[in-house]
Amino acid sequence: MSRAIRIEPSILSADFVNMESELQRIATADAVHVDVMDNHFVPNLTFGPQMVKRVQAVSPVPLDVHLMITDADRWAPGYAELGAFSVTFHAEAATDPLALAAALRERGSRAGIALKPGTPADEVIAHLDAYDQVLVMTVEPGFGGQGFMDDMLDKIAVVRAAIDAAGTDTWLQVDGGISTSTIARAYAAGADTFVAGSSVYGADDPVAAIASLRDAAHA
């Protein structure tokens, strides 16, 4: 396989008190995954636009903002206006995903759509040209450190087959339980963009951890 391998450490596993230095520790990553949670869509609370704006100002790599919030139609465009490279909203939280994706692109961000483990991919793969990224959650969203759900591999494969058939340049991202022991299975199923939290920030050397993930994807 010759697909790209993109590694995006999640700052959900970083030290929030020392965020600027934590971002510098992952300068070899392809992007930083920024989890925005509102304690409504998921049972956890992280931060909002002000924090994302500051992360944007000091990050050495692009921001991939993952919105785990209700009323995505209202709030997601504002994150694109902050300059985020990519903004991903949940299919379950948007009333008009196609219009929202278009609004994100109009504001200069890549448009991503995320699927919880229990959400089928049918509606998303029917409109792949509308999305720059599809995120298949490989854990239930809300908390880091969960185990990879192998039963999501079939969904990843379905989305990959649809992307290849459509001929779109849509990235296929997975988030949840990604480590050197799971990334190869996700890559083999079709993913090309990998969110890794504790496996990077829990390591003594995040740069080495990022390199190990890249290598392990081909294993």
Side-chain angles (χ1 to χ4, degrees):
M1 287 176 288
S2 59
R3 290 193 313 277
I5 298 173
R6 306 178 190 91
I7 307 297
E8 299 187 359
S10 168
I11 58 171
L12 189 62
S13 298
D15 178 359
F16 285 11
V17 177
N18 298 294
M19 187 59 72
E20 185 170 0
S21 63
E22 290 286 81
L23 288 164
Q24 294 302 321
R25 295 174 73 206
I26 60 163
T28 58
D30 297 284
V32 58
H33 196 78
V34 181
D35 296 292
V36 175
M37 307 182 192
D38 64 359
N39 205 32
H40 294 284
F41 184 72
V42 292
N44 196 3
L45 182 66
T46 54
F47 37 73
Q50 288 181 318
M51 181 65 173
V52 173
K53 183 177 181 179
R54 288 298 300 137
V55 172
Q56 173 74 25
V58 301
S59 177
V61 294
L63 267 61
D64 180 11
V65 179
H66 178 192
L67 301 177
M68 287 170 269
I69 62 174
T70 56
D71 200 3
D73 305 81
R74 176 184 179 186
W75 297 109
Y79 287 90
E81 290 168 359
L82 293 176
F85 171 71
S86 179
V87 176
T88 297
F89 61 89
H90 269 264
E92 307 87 359
T95 57
D96 192 340
L98 296 178
L100 181 52
L104 294 174
R105 285 175 168 177
E106 288 169 3
R107 288 161 175 79
S109 287
R110 289 172 59 86
I113 189 165
L115 303 170
K116 286 184 176 182
T119 302
D122 301 6
E123 285 299 315
V124 170
I125 62 179
H127 301 283
L128 281 172
D129 58 337
Y131 305 111
D132 301 297
Q133 178 168 276
V134 176
L135 166 54
V136 175
M137 293 298 300
T138 44
V139 297
E140 289 294 341
F143 292 91
Q146 299 182 65
F148 182 87
M149 297 172 66
D150 276 282
D151 54 352
M152 291 299 102
L153 292 172
D154 287 344
K155 185 191 290 188
I156 296 168
V158 166
V159 178
R160 168 50 57 195
I163 291 171
D164 291 346
T168 61
D169 186 26
T170 308
W171 296 2
L172 178 46
Q173 185 178 68
V174 290
D175 181 0
I178 293 299
S179 67
T180 53
S181 64
T182 61
I183 193 170
R185 299 200 296 278
Y187 182 75
D192 52 39
T193 307
F194 305 89
V195 179
S198 54
S199 62
V200 172
Y201 274 116
D204 292 334
D205 184 348
V207 170
I210 290 167
S212 294
L213 285 168
R214 294 191 198 279
D215 291 341
H218 291 294

